[in-house]
Amino acid sequence: YTILMPPPNANASLHAGHAMYTVDDTVLRFKRMQGYSATWIPGLDHAGFETQFVYEKHLAKQGKSRFDFDRQSLYEDILSFVKENSGLIVSQMKKMGFSADWNKSVFTLDEHVVKTVYETFMKMHKEGLVYRDEYIVNYCTHDGTSLAELEVKYVERKDPLYYIKYGAFVLATVRPETKFGDTAVAVNPKDKRYKEWIGKEIEVEGLLGKIKLKVIEDPHVDPKFGTGVVKVTPGHDPNDFEMGKRHNLEVKCVIDVRGKLNHFAGPYEGMKVMAAREQVAKDLEARGLMEKVDREYVHSVATCYKCGRDLEPMVVPNWFINVDSLKKPVINAIKKNETTFTPKRHKKQILDWLAVMHDWPISRQIVWGIRIPVWYPIGKAAITVSFISKSGEREHGNVHELLKKYDLSEIKAGLQSLVASVGTPFVVSVDSPGEDYLPETDTFDTWFSSGQWPI
């Protein structure tokens, strides 16, 4: 009789959630008393994002940040940090008398675990379940990584709701700073107020001159929100992104991964999101383009479950799992009661969640974890890298431009991060296919790797 201990974070200490181990311990002791050969296999989880988050706070106390290190050096430093701190939680569990087989303990960065994770990824890639694409994800500009839906914390907050003049319309938005990425305005097809406008173009006077936007109809638009007219910004809103796909709209990303407005924003380029929001609102008012502001508007805001900052919906290249074929047998098993839930209400909750579940982004733009085993040929591909040169300077740019000044070996040695444009050819391999290849620097989401714990 065997139980696998859900592995606690290697750098953590016991908390109330670990009280569940008393259930495992009780069952194991009971099975031993019944004469079973019973084993309880413990382990520790590398906990990618959580651990790097803790280590970055450790660096901040020393006046340093993750940007001061190349990828390999940062990984080794975090590994040393984890080794120094990983004994605490095990000693606490031993003090509490948990009867696990401590000599069989496994760490999720152990060689055989990493090998299993690689084999799973390669198998899923061959089966067409893994793909790389630009898709809108929840991105934390502070921690520098995308997050899965389960890692998003929604908070209710009061924010100004701005009513902006858009040509013939007035529309409401909480985010005037994203207006530079608008590619349409939308109304509900059943909203009689705007039926005559559907399919037409309107001329919108903005802060960067006049632009023309098409009026589209989409059932997603809530006629009761604001004036019933919404601006469509596919690059920075998940609902707008889906609307954009339905209507073949251009995706303009006006906010970068640092949380700053880019060249599309003209004079606002380089401003942080919140500062730009305030300035854009002031400038719209000064130009007579602000109808009114509702300062009592309450809405739900997506925040990072770790640092608490607002998440930025952003279109960035990511590795995804196609969940459609995977979730169907799960749904069927639950509906047929092949899997039971206690309390029973959780059955409905998981079915509701599975019904709306999107494809799963499994890549994280962090160092601490299992690197995705993919390599990109330099060739003519659009590859952007950040690296630390031999002289200690942090360089960033297109790899072909950087190669005019640096050797490829220097870029590899100091590599911090890499972003290849979607469509760039790649090779799935644990080892480098050749000298003229650069490695993917994204790591697996911990839930992808640690979810294989039973294997």
Side-chain angles (χ1 to χ4, degrees), residues 59-78:
L59 283 177
K61 291 176 182 176
Q62 303 172 35
K64 299 178 182 177
S65 78
R66 65 179 182 270
F67 301 112
D68 297 328
F69 305 89
D70 64 80
R71 189 183 188 283
Q72 191 57 36
S73 297
L74 183 59
Y75 180 93
E76 289 170 1
D77 288 349
I78 299 175

Side-chain angles (χ1 to χ4, degrees), residues 71-99:
R71 189 183 188 283
Q72 191 57 36
S73 297
L74 183 59
Y75 180 93
E76 289 170 1
D77 288 349
I78 299 175
L79 180 60
S80 299
F81 176 78
V82 169
K83 285 180 177 178
E84 288 173 13
N85 292 277
S86 62
L88 176 60
I89 197 163
V90 172
S91 66
Q92 288 177 324
M93 288 192 287
K94 286 180 178 179
K95 283 180 182 178
M96 291 186 72
F98 289 138
S99 59

